[in-house]
Amino acid sequence: MNNLFVYCEIEGGAIADVSLELLTKGRSLANRLNCRLEAVVAGSKLEGIEKQIMPYGADKLHLFDDARLYPYTSLPHTSILVNLFREEKPQICLMGATVIGRDLGPRVSSALGSGLTADCTSLEIGAHEDRKQGKTYENLLYQIRPAFGGNIVATIINPEHRPQMATVREGVMKKERQDGPHPGEVVSYEVDRYVSGADFAVKIISRQIEKAKHNVKNAPVIVSGGYGMGSKENFQLLFDLAKVLNAEVGASRAAVDAGYCDHDRQIGQTGLTVRPKLYIACGISGQIQHIAGMQESAIIISINSDPAAPVNTIADYVITGTVEDVIPKMIKYYKKNSK
């Protein structure tokens, strides 16, 4: 009762990275709330799946193992969470802001009348004073995300209804295994008690998944360009630099919209969230939408002709100059010193 739940997605027998990230964050939130962290997994052939989950801090795993639950379909998974939550009454539920999470979250939230904040970039615990009603609420989930086109950062709360629900995109939170032993309780459920036969009316006959062409998300070094690159031809400079550094190329939304780069390289609120060891921002102004996707980089270098560019405020090193002048010099330098 009143514990923190994480819905864990599964693909090919492995728990999704975003779910492990949410378990890590959930562990710290549960510690703050002095409650238990509980995970929910629904799928097929789940024997031993707890070995992937417990090391990330879960105290309890709710397991729904049935051949009809994989691949994911909307109605069975919705019924599982709605009926389980009516029994368990969690105070918080976290999901990944994935294709599945964006389908499942609103369905569960609507059925329970709980409310849902999508695409959060931060989650914290805090209090809220409602001066109009003269009430003070303790230990609420602060659901933090950019709003109004990224012009402000909004903190959203849900004082009255439970569970407090939020989705978080992959890469926003850190994924860390807990130290020490990983004991935890595993409870297996009879699926037919939670899901009606009508919910299984839709059956997936064939399923094809196209893998990403690029591995920008996991690259240790990213060279990223913005609208300030000026043209698709200038953007080629970034690929030349990335080749020398054994890096991947990223882009801001403005650069993608201008046709300088493919959409699957887009970094930011509406693209990828990355945490490289080195992020080189070239011709990127640094609006909050882009910063939300790369601010956790270990080292940030900004190359910009505008010394007042917002990205410079979070950069570890700032090179003031045009990309046409600076990047060829960097390429020449690294080629010379990498031999």
Side-chain angles (χ1 to χ4, degrees), residues 177-193:
R177 296 169 69 97
Q178 302 294 305
D179 295 330
H182 312 295
E185 179 185 3
V186 180
V187 180
S188 296
Y189 293 84
E190 184 181 340
V191 173
D192 288 333
R193 284 189 54 236

Side-chain angles (χ1 to χ4, degrees), residues 216-278:
V216 179
K217 181 174 71 74
N218 297 314
V221 180
I222 296 176
V223 180
S224 195
Y227 188 74
M229 291 301 299
S231 67
K232 189 172 184 178
E233 290 70 29
N234 278 353
F235 218 88
Q236 183 59 42
L237 288 171
L238 303 185
F239 287 94
D240 296 339
L241 179 58
K243 185 176 180 180
V244 174
L245 298 177
N246 194 27
E248 275 286 357
V249 173
S252 69
R253 179 174 179 174
V256 171
D257 289 346
Y260 298 167
C261 194
D262 295 336
H263 181 269
D264 59 359
R265 294 186 182 275
Q266 182 177 320
I267 294 170
Q269 183 184 352
T270 54
L272 301 169
T273 300
V274 296
R275 297 171 176 267
K277 295 179 180 178
L278 173 62

Side-chain angles (χ1 to χ4, degrees), residues 93-212:
C93 172
L94 305 179
M95 298 182 183
T98 61
V99 172
I100 290 175
R102 286 169 175 156
D103 175 73
L104 181 61
R107 292 173 182 270
V108 175
S109 172
S110 177
L112 297 176
S114 66
L116 169 72
T117 302
D119 289 339
C120 292
T121 56
S122 182
L123 300 169
E124 303 295 340
I125 301 297
H128 171 67
E129 181 182 359
D130 188 334
R131 296 181 181 178
K132 186 176 181 179
Q133 297 188 29
K135 292 183 178 180
T136 299
Y137 300 89
E138 301 290 341
N139 294 326
L140 292 178
L141 179 66
Y142 287 177
Q143 302 153 60
I144 303 168
R145 58 154 296 159
F148 292 100
N151 292 313
I152 65 169
V153 175
T155 299
I156 300 168
I157 58 170
N158 186 354
E160 302 290 349
H161 301 282
R162 296 293 179 270
Q164 303 164 87
M165 294 185 65
T167 64
V168 180
R169 292 195 301 116
E170 183 178 355
V172 172
M173 308 296 180
K174 290 183 179 180
K175 179 179 69 173
E176 294 179 342
R177 296 169 69 97
Q178 302 294 305
D179 295 330
H182 312 295
E185 179 185 3
V186 180
V187 180
S188 296
Y189 293 84
E190 184 181 340
V191 173
D192 288 333
R193 284 189 54 236
Y194 292 80
V195 186
S196 69
D199 288 339
F200 290 113
V202 175
K203 183 178 181 180
I204 296 177
I205 305 300
S206 178
R207 182 169 177 256
Q208 303 294 329
I209 299 177
E210 183 178 352
K211 293 184 178 180

Side-chain angles (χ1 to χ4, degrees), residues 3 41 49 61 69 91 98 126 136 174 200 210 216 228 230 287:
N3 291 327
V41 177
I49 200 70
L61 170 60
L69 293 176
Q91 61 175 309
T98 61
T136 299
K174 290 183 179 180
F200 290 113
E210 183 178 352
V216 179
Q287 298 302 313

